[in-house]
Amino acid sequence: MAATDEAEKRPANASGAGDYVRPFVPTAVTMVGVVAILYLGREVFLPLAIAFLLTFALAPIVSALRKRSIPKVPAVVVTVTLAFLAIGLFSFVVATQVSNLAQNIPTYQSNILEKVRSLREVGANGGIIERLSNAVERVGAELQRGTRVPEQAEPQEPAREPLPVEIVSRQNPVEILKNVIVPLAAPFATAGLIIVVVIFMLLEREDLRDRFIRLVGYRDLHRTTEALQDAGKRVGRYLLMQLVVNTTYAIPITIGLWLIGIPNALLWGLLALVLRFVPYIGPAIAMLLPMLLALAVAPGWSMVLWTAGLFLVMELISNNIMEPWLYGSRTGLSSLAIIVAAIFWTWLWGPLGLVISTPLTVCLVVLGRHVPQFAFLDVMLGNEPVLEPHARLYQRLLAGDPDEATDYAEEFLEERYLVDYYDHIGIPALLIGETDRQRGVMTDEQRRQIAASALALVENLEDVAQEEEEEEEEAAEEAGKRSTPSGEDDIETPDLPDGEGRSLLCLGGRGELDDAAAAMLAQVLEVQGAEVATAAHAVLEGRAVSSLPLADVDTVIVAFLNTASLAHARHAVRRLKRARPALRVGILMPRADGEKSIEAASISADFVAFSIAEAVKEGLDDKPAVKLKATTARLTRRKTRPKKPVAETA
């Protein structure tokens, strides 16, 4: 009982799992229930989903007509009528082309047989096909020889010829009419239902919006309104731009197939327009069908190759020019999410689910982005980074992978300077490691691995530092001022002084992570043109300070990531100043919360910097060194010490 009471009193986040496990169970149960409902009620939900997406696509057209002073009802009726007339005309043309193709298929049999006969001739006279056939026959003979069972003599019976059987239908005319009409009427009924739902959704769009806000977001109208606007923009723009891209793709395909000589070129162009709504596999299916027809139409292989080349060229143009220009990656979905969504919706609702998988998933991502209860959908399916840059860097350092960390850093440094990277990503990542060390969740081996990976990262960025130093020299000659790069608006690049002719020493304070922070600072100082040396934290212990080249440097900067190390910082400053009184000694002590509450005088330092940029500015300053003050006990001893008598002169 005591153990039970203690467990009940324990906070939920004591183990770190209480924040995630408990809400996940009801969420998982809810998701399974929703999927089961969607699967069992697919005959109802699929038309509603199609109507919902069509409403998103047609809403901008209705709004444009309303802005031209057209009343709501005529605007909705005109929009829906034109849209479904286009869909009906499209379906009629496809059906006509399919019927024409079916009538001409028997005329292509001779070409197909000719190609099969040519393939046989390729394998004749000891060719590949003949060798494979002989090998298969030998293997089959060996298997039959090993499994053959001696047959017993049985009286032979005369072979019986099969009797012809005739099936006579006993259905009445009403049942026959029902079996014929019902399958034909089902698609028209579904289409009529979709039309009616789209009309009413467009007419009652404002009322449906208000009801949705009242249902899920009445307490936060701003967030709910933003979610609705975001969903409308993403889905509507995706559908419209995808239609434009597919149309510009299908027209050249149709013309090209007609010039090549593929029968029913209009059919294949229209199918290409529709199939490109299916992610990834749609274009492949659209290319495969006319290629098979080209195989059957022409006796040679040139038509097949021309067809494949046409589709490949159009895919390259569409994927690399049209799509990035019109909508790019504004769907907000990752590539893996698009594939998984296509598989899921196909399993759930069949081929139509595959066609509408991307816009439906976009709606789910928007829901997860703005509704906290569904935030996991945005994490799982969205294309936005789920880890902050410094947390991602810390994870890579913890995994001992400085190469991938270097790749991320180089992407950042394409638009920013090295000091920005270290101040906003590098040092915060080391602060996470220092926090984990203080909490006792990091082993000594992990601490050394993080420090080694961080030092390897700094070494990998040496080329970037040299390039930046050359840019600094050119900028100083031309304008005398650092140019502000284009990048994130929340990062302001500081204007750092020139370090030409200055000599500094950067030290780690208490551990390996402090050594890594000192190495980052040293690299930024080198970019500014200063001569910088580095040393590990061990030199501050005991009498090892005397081994430092203090006579050759102007300033020493000691890095401490632990903000509770004020006593160690004070002792380090005193040891360094006693070794050389005219030495300027500064402390780099960044804080995760951004506070600046440490006074330099309290630790006898010349300055205390809370970022690498501040440390560079203070370290390259020409201020004279602050003299080391005697302690209170020493001053008291001096005041109370008796004065020696002055010797009388002869």
Side-chain angles (χ1 to χ4, degrees):
M1 291 294 294
T4 305
D5 296 339
E6 184 178 353
E8 291 178 355
K9 294 178 182 179
R10 187 185 306 161
N13 58 355
S15 64
D19 296 338
Y20 302 96
V21 175
R22 270 196 245 180
F24 179 75
V25 175
T27 302
V29 173
T30 303
M31 292 297 297
V32 171
V34 170
V35 171
I37 293 173
L38 292 176
Y39 181 78
L40 296 176
R42 55 185 177 274
E43 295 182 358
V44 176
F45 291 111
L46 181 57
L48 292 179
I50 296 174
F52 178 74
L53 295 178
L54 287 176
T55 302
F56 270 117
L58 299 179
I61 301 177
V62 175
S63 300
L65 294 177
R66 292 291 308 277
K67 291 179 180 179
R68 297 180 179 274
S69 302
I70 298 178
K72 179 189 293 186
V73 175
V76 171
V77 172
V78 169
T79 302
V80 174
T81 302
L82 293 178
F84 281 95
L85 280 177
I87 295 174
L89 179 61
F90 178 88
S91 303
F92 175 76
V93 173
V94 170
T96 304
Q97 292 290 316
V98 169
S99 176
N100 187 15
L101 177 65
Q103 294 176 1
N104 295 329
I105 283 180
T107 61
Y108 307 142
Q109 292 180 356
S110 60
N111 292 326
I112 297 175
L113 294 176
E114 182 66 25
K115 284 188 171 57
V116 173
R117 196 175 299 113
S118 64
L119 290 176
R120 283 183 180 177
E121 293 176 356
V122 171
N125 299 324
I128 298 176
I129 297 178
E130 184 178 355
R131 293 178 183 178
L132 292 176
S133 300
N134 294 335
V136 173
E137 289 178 0
R138 286 196 298 269
V139 173
E142 291 294 332
L143 292 176
Q144 290 180 359
R145 185 182 306 172
T147 58
R148 184 174 298 170
V149 179
E151 300 178 355
Q152 297 179 357
E154 294 182 357
Q156 295 183 356
E157 296 181 358
R160 298 180 179 178
E161 297 181 358
L163 298 176
V165 179
E166 182 179 358
I167 300 175
V168 180
S169 176
R170 300 295 182 183
Q171 295 179 346
N172 56 37
V174 177
E175 293 179 352
I176 296 176
L177 189 62
K178 178 181 177 182
N179 294 333
V180 173
I181 292 179
V182 171
L184 295 176
F188 292 99
T190 303
L193 176 63
I194 293 174
I195 294 174
V196 172
V197 173
V198 169
I199 291 175
F200 277 95
M201 280 188 174
L202 290 174
L203 289 175
E204 304 294 334
R205 186 176 49 167
E206 292 80 4
D207 183 64
L208 292 175
R209 178 197 60 198
D210 296 343
R211 293 180 183 276
F212 179 79
I213 292 175
R214 183 65 180 87
L215 183 63
V216 301
Y218 186 69
R219 297 182 179 179
D220 194 351
L221 292 175
H222 174 74
R223 175 175 293 179
T224 308
T225 303
E226 186 178 0
L228 290 174
Q229 292 178 348
D230 192 8
K233 288 180 180 179
R234 287 181 182 272
V235 178
R237 182 176 179 82
Y238 167 77
L239 292 175
L240 182 60
M241 291 298 101
Q242 187 67 50
L243 179 61
V244 173
V245 170
N246 293 359
T247 303
T248 57
Y249 175 87
I251 292 175
I253 288 291
T254 304
I255 298 174
L257 293 177
W258 177 72
L259 293 176
I260 293 173
I262 302 295
N264 305 102
L266 182 60
L267 171 64
W268 310 122
L270 294 176
L271 288 180
L273 188 150
V274 175
L275 289 173
R276 282 200 95 255
F277 280 100
V278 179
Y280 298 107
I281 64 173
I285 298 175
M287 179 179 65
L288 183 62
L289 294 176
M291 284 182 62
L292 293 176
L293 185 59
L295 192 67
V297 170
W301 298 92
S302 60
M303 186 175 290
V304 178
L305 297 178
W306 278 108
T307 303
L310 174 64
F311 275 91
L312 291 178
V313 170
M314 288 307 304
E315 278 296 320
L316 291 175
I317 295 175
S318 180
N319 293 334
N320 296 292
I321 298 177
M322 297 302 298
E323 290 183 359
W325 176 45
L326 289 175
Y327 63 86
S329 58
R330 297 181 183 178
T331 57
L333 299 179
S334 64
S335 300
L336 181 61
I338 293 176
I339 298 174
V340 173
I343 296 173
F344 172 76
W345 292 108
T346 304
W347 166 77
L348 197 66
W349 286 345
L352 287 178
L354 177 62
V355 175
I356 64 177
S357 61
T358 300
L360 284 179
T361 310
V362 169
C363 295
L364 293 179
V365 170
V366 172
L367 183 66
R369 186 165 298 172
H370 297 282
V371 180
Q373 294 85 347
F374 300 96
F376 67 95
L377 292 174
D378 185 29
V379 174
M380 294 173 59
L381 304 175
N383 62 349
E384 297 292 335
V386 296
L387 290 179
E388 295 181 354
H390 65 278
R392 184 169 58 177
L393 173 60
Y394 175 66
Q395 193 274 333
R396 288 293 86 202
L397 298 179
L398 188 61
D401 189 0
D403 295 331
E404 187 174 348
T406 303
D407 294 338
Y408 292 144
E410 290 176 348
E411 292 178 3
F412 181 90
L413 293 173
E414 289 179 358
E415 298 291 339
R416 287 291 175 184
Y417 287 108
L418 202 61
V419 61
D420 300 326
Y421 177 75
Y422 284 146
D423 264 340
H424 294 276
I425 299 178
I427 293 297
L430 295 179
L431 286 174
I432 298 177
E434 177 63 24
T435 302
D436 287 346
R437 187 197 66 80
Q438 296 177 24
R439 293 193 301 122
V441 298
M442 180 186 298
T443 63
D444 294 340
E445 182 180 357
Q446 288 177 329
R447 186 183 71 250
R448 288 190 292 269
Q449 182 174 358
I450 292 174
S453 299
L455 292 175
L457 171 64
V458 174
E459 185 177 354
N460 292 340
L461 296 178
E462 187 63 30
D463 294 338
V464 179
Q466 292 179 0
E467 294 176 359
E468 192 171 316
E469 183 178 358
E470 295 175 357
E471 293 176 0
E472 287 288 329
E473 294 176 356
E474 295 177 358
E477 293 177 358
E478 294 178 359
K481 189 176 180 182
R482 173 191 294 246
S483 60
T484 302
S486 59
E488 300 176 16
D489 296 335
D490 56 345
I491 297 179
E492 183 178 356
T493 302
D495 188 14
L496 302 180
D498 185 15
E500 190 70 28
R502 305 302 302 273
S503 179
L504 297 93
L505 175 64
C506 296
L507 301 175
R510 295 184 62 182
E512 292 87 351
L513 298 180
D514 296 336
D515 295 341
M520 294 178 180
L521 172 61
Q523 194 172 60
V524 176
L525 287 168
E526 289 177 348
V527 170
Q528 297 307 120
E531 295 183 3
V532 187
T534 58
H537 66 283
V539 299
L540 293 176
E541 300 176 358
R543 298 181 179 180
V545 177
S546 59
S547 63
L548 293 174
L550 299 180
D552 301 331
V553 298
D554 306 322
T555 305
V556 176
I557 304 178
V558 187
F560 288 92
L561 295 177
N562 186 358
T563 55
S565 301
L566 294 180
H568 292 78
R570 186 181 301 108
H571 291 311
V573 172
R574 290 184 175 276
R575 287 174 183 171
L576 293 169
K577 282 186 173 291
R578 286 189 188 122
R580 185 185 171 197
L583 186 67
R584 295 183 75 241
V585 180
I587 299 296
L588 170 62
M589 191 173 288
R591 299 173 63 97
D593 53 10
E595 294 184 3
K596 302 179 180 181
S597 58
I598 303 174
E599 296 291 339
S602 63
I603 55 177
S604 303
D606 289 83
F607 61 87
V608 176
F610 301 94
S611 67
I612 287 184
E614 292 181 11
V616 172
K617 290 180 180 179
E618 295 289 345
L620 298 179
D621 202 337
D622 294 330
K623 294 179 181 179
V626 176
K627 294 183 179 180
L628 183 64
K629 295 181 180 179
T631 60
T632 305
R634 186 177 300 174
L635 290 175
T636 304
R637 258 194 328 268
R638 288 178 180 177
K639 290 179 180 179
T640 58
R641 182 181 302 170
K643 295 182 179 180
K644 295 181 180 180
V646 180
E648 296 180 358
T649 58

